[in-house]
Amino acid sequence: MKKNIVVIEGDGIGPEVIKQSIKVLNSIGNRFVHEFSYQNVLAGAKAIETLGSPMPKETIDSCLKSDAVLFGSIGDPKYDYYPRGMRPEDGLLKLRKKMNLYCNIRPIVTYPGIPQSPIKKLEGVNFVIYRELTGGIYFGKKGRSKNGKEAYDYCVYSKKEIERIGEMSFKAARSRNRKMTLVDKANVLETSRLWREVIQKMALDYSDVNLEFLYIDNAAMQIIINPTKFDVILTDNMFGDILSDEASILTGSLGLLPSASIGNKKSLFEPIHGSYPQAKGKNIANPLGSILSVSMMLEYFEMHQEKNLLEEAVKSSIQEKICTPDIILDDRNYSSTEEVGDYIEKYIKNH
């Protein structure tokens, strides 16, 4: 099978983790006789410096023509105070909108052998967050008063936006443990009330799925207190962003979490971590979130055997303690970014 993949390394540790992901993907290609071709394009800080835009039109055009996009990370402190629309993060929001990547999927899975949550010992955590990605407060009208003393961010959702991710979430719940939790703030927010109305009506067509509702503040507590109660969490853009980052503490490291952003025709795959500029160039960044994002890409391509082998390799690397310092707490015995990628590459080749 041939697949054309657009690669956006991005900022900070992005190029380092993407390098390992490409190495692993090539190993999968060699093992299963697939042909993966890559087109590298610019986004983020490097694109601002080179082309004057955090998300150039050439990059968007290439992404729209690809079979999938593999994304590293985005963000640079140098641009934190640039005007709206010219920050690296603005470029990613623009790409999500242009590609219509409305459904962000973030699995939260704990692995044996990792010093997991600092809150308590956890076992058997396995749930997935379905986050609406192209609507809500992140994309609503923003501005300030003329005197600069007032600011506003509008949160807007339509029935159609809720229905399309609701359908994907219900189907995911049906394929898992038939349980779904809608997280909102319906006691305060009108948009959350619309979410409840739409999802409750949709639930009539998914009577085999147990649907429950939690306010965002309660959900944030329950994820820490009793994370095994969750299976599929459905929520809006901002709440999903916050909850998935919070949930990373359950796994032991933000560097372990992958994600898929699914659209009507195109999809993008990226680790949920940021650009982590403090680690840039030090060969200590955890590549597993990016590598597991490749696993989600393989599932998207319906390469199920390939996906299973890659995930087996990741589990083996953790069991054998071939891990970066965010997981291995002993300063002397951790593996580098490159060594983790090498181990997974060889595992795929030899198993």
Side-chain angles (χ1 to χ4, degrees), residues 78-145:
K78 175 181 176 181
Y79 296 96
D80 284 351
Y81 298 100
Y82 269 52
R84 189 169 66 246
M86 280 302 296
R87 301 168 191 145
E89 294 82 358
D90 294 327
L92 182 55
L93 292 178
K94 182 178 181 180
L95 182 63
R96 288 171 178 170
K97 198 72 172 180
K98 290 291 186 179
M99 293 183 67
N100 196 25
L101 304 176
Y102 64 88
C103 179
N104 184 237
I105 305 170
R106 297 188 171 190
I108 310 296
V109 179
T110 53
Y111 294 91
I114 292 182
Q116 294 166 336
S117 169
I119 299 170
K120 63 180 180 179
K121 183 174 176 59
L122 296 167
E123 292 182 358
V125 175
N126 187 339
F127 63 91
V128 60
I129 297 173
Y130 273 66
R131 168 192 171 194
E132 201 289 322
L133 201 59
T134 57
I137 198 167
Y138 288 2
F139 288 93
K141 184 179 179 182
K142 310 173 190 307
R144 293 199 179 192
S145 61

Side-chain angles (χ1 to χ4, degrees), residues 11-259:
D11 307 322
I13 62 171
E16 297 169 64
V17 298
I18 284 290
K19 179 182 178 183
Q20 305 314 311
S21 294
I22 296 296
K23 181 189 298 181
V24 169
L25 195 50
N26 285 336
S27 185
I28 288 286
N30 292 334
R31 176 70 187 274
F32 292 92
V33 197
H34 298 305
E35 183 180 333
F36 299 114
S37 62
Y38 309 101
Q39 180 186 1
N40 284 273
V41 296
L42 294 179
K46 193 176 294 185
I48 295 173
E49 295 165 5
T50 307
L51 300 171
S53 168
M55 189 57 63
K57 182 179 183 299
E58 303 95 299
T59 295
I60 295 172
D61 290 343
S62 295
C63 291
L64 291 172
K65 295 174 184 176
S66 70
D67 292 313
V69 178
L70 185 60
F71 200 102
S73 59
I74 205 161
D76 189 318
K78 175 181 176 181
Y79 296 96
D80 284 351
Y81 298 100
Y82 269 52
R84 189 169 66 246
M86 280 302 296
R87 301 168 191 145
E89 294 82 358
D90 294 327
L92 182 55
L93 292 178
K94 182 178 181 180
L95 182 63
R96 288 171 178 170
K97 198 72 172 180
K98 290 291 186 179
M99 293 183 67
N100 196 25
L101 304 176
Y102 64 88
C103 179
N104 184 237
I105 305 170
R106 297 188 171 190
I108 310 296
V109 179
T110 53
Y111 294 91
I114 292 182
Q116 294 166 336
S117 169
I119 299 170
K120 63 180 180 179
K121 183 174 176 59
L122 296 167
E123 292 182 358
V125 175
N126 187 339
F127 63 91
V128 60
I129 297 173
Y130 273 66
R131 168 192 171 194
E132 201 289 322
L133 201 59
T134 57
I137 198 167
Y138 288 2
F139 288 93
K141 184 179 179 182
K142 310 173 190 307
R144 293 199 179 192
S145 61
K146 290 182 179 179
N147 63 12
K149 295 181 179 180
E150 293 179 345
Y152 57 87
D153 297 275
Y154 290 167
C155 182
V156 180
Y157 269 111
S158 68
K159 179 183 175 183
K160 181 180 178 181
E161 288 175 314
I162 299 166
E163 285 177 336
R164 63 184 182 180
I165 190 170
E167 182 179 5
M168 293 191 71
S169 183
F170 272 115
K171 288 180 178 178
R174 182 175 274 173
S175 69
R176 289 171 55 94
N177 296 312
R178 299 180 183 272
K179 181 178 180 181
M180 190 172 95
T181 305
L182 176 65
V183 173
D184 59 27
K185 193 64 177 172
N187 56 337
V188 176
L189 301 178
E190 194 62 33
T191 48
S192 286
R193 294 189 184 103
L194 179 62
W195 272 80
R196 285 211 182 191
E197 291 171 12
V198 172
I199 296 303
Q200 282 177 321
K201 185 175 180 180
M202 292 183 70
L204 299 175
D205 295 325
Y206 295 90
S207 57
D208 55 330
V209 175
N210 179 24
L211 175 64
E212 68 172 10
F213 303 92
L214 283 180
Y215 295 142
I216 177 63
D217 39 4
N218 188 16
M221 289 188 290
Q222 293 300 322
I223 281 176
I224 298 301
I225 296 168
N226 187 20
T228 56
K229 72 171 286 184
F230 295 104
D231 185 39
V232 174
I233 293 176
L234 171 64
T235 192
D236 74 6
N237 204 339
M238 183 170 70
F239 294 158
D241 192 4
I242 295 167
L243 287 182
S244 55
D245 282 2
E246 178 202 12
S248 71
I249 200 171
L250 305 175
T251 69
S253 171
L254 189 65
L256 277 171
L257 273 64
S259 78

